[in-house]
Amino acid sequence: MGSTLESRNVLVVEDEALLQASISRTLRLAGFATTCVGLGREAIKSLEGEGDVDAMLVDLNLPDMNGIEIVRSVHASRPAIPIVVMTGDPSMASAVEAMRSGAYDYLTKPLSADGLVIALQQAIEAGQILKRRPKAARSTIGDSMVGGSPRFVKVLSILDAAAATNSSVLILGESGTGKELAARALHDRGPRAAKPFIAINC
């Protein structure tokens, strides 16, 4: 499986020792470098410096904190690090909350080795695109939306990450909050930018 990724360092946050070892082995065989921790606080502490982490794989249910809390904390301080959430107790509510909080992807256990590798490859690619994008470019969405607030930059980073994938994206929000503008920006940043963008009011 070829890759043009510059580096592939994954921080695995999983408290079950056997699963942690299995995930680490699977990723190392696929060419990733892994660091494993069993607690959310350990994961957050390991990122306090300028550690070389290209992506995180985070269990939703940890002994000391919820995986969503980790996603929010990391996304606020290191938004260019994509986070893939995994859980053995999946639900639509937790999936939506994870993605709203800044997670790049949501996987269910038992994990497929191929699916895990592909998800992390795509996450790292998206993260590296975001890191390379000039900061000035992160402050605009299309020609209609400009901003510099932390919330705006967070939305932009999510759009950047999503644009690098081939996945369907659900954009939620109250009427008038700019969902169509965000969808148009997502289209313009993705591989289909040269193709028509069609908005349908349902």
Side-chain angles (χ1 to χ4, degrees):
M1 187 179 295
S3 175
T4 59
L5 300 184
E6 296 167 2
S7 59
R8 306 204 299 179
N9 300 308
V10 179
L11 176 60
V12 179
V13 190
E14 168 59 59
D15 63 302
E16 293 184 20
L18 290 178
L19 181 56
Q20 184 188 101
S22 175
I23 289 171
S24 180
R25 182 170 57 253
T26 296
L27 295 180
R28 287 179 181 276
L29 287 173
F32 294 85
T34 62
T35 300
C36 299
V37 297
L39 297 174
R41 292 188 181 90
E42 292 176 343
I44 292 172
K45 186 173 180 59
S46 70
L47 295 174
E48 288 178 355
E50 293 299 320
D52 189 15
V53 174
D54 298 299
M56 295 177 65
L57 179 65
V58 178
D59 187 25
L60 196 61
N61 299 305
L62 295 164
D64 62 335
M65 61 194 303
N66 187 284
I68 301 296
E69 296 176 87
I70 300 173
V71 172
R72 289 173 179 157
S73 175
V74 174
H75 196 69
S77 60
R78 304 279 294 274
I81 297 179
I83 304 174
V84 176
V85 170
M86 57 182 172
T87 180
D89 186 25
S91 70
M92 180 61 71
S94 66
V96 169
E97 186 178 10
M99 303 308 284
R100 279 181 172 175
S101 299
Y104 175 83
D105 205 347
Y106 181 97
L107 304 179
T108 60
K109 300 176 183 178
L111 301 172
S112 156
D114 288 342
L116 175 60
V117 169
I118 290 170
L120 285 169
Q121 283 179 328
Q122 292 178 341
I124 292 174
E125 287 171 353
Q128 289 177 351
I129 289 171
L130 182 58
K131 288 176 184 176
R132 288 194 295 266
R133 186 181 297 277
K135 287 186 179 180
R138 298 184 197 180
S139 298
T140 63
I141 293 183
D143 297 324
S144 305
M145 299 172 68
V146 180
S149 72
R151 285 180 179 272
F152 186 88
V153 172
K154 177 180 177 180
V155 169
L156 193 56
S157 71
I158 294 172
L159 290 175
D160 281 329
T165 74
N166 194 33
S167 301
S168 298
V169 178
L170 175 64
I171 301 174
L172 302 173
E174 299 294 330
S175 179
T177 54
K179 296 188 296 298
E180 184 177 328
L181 288 173
R184 187 179 297 276
L186 185 61
H187 171 266
D188 291 344
R189 290 167 133 74
R192 301 179 181 86
K195 297 181 180 180
F197 174 83
I198 302 173
I200 300 174
N201 189 341
C202 298

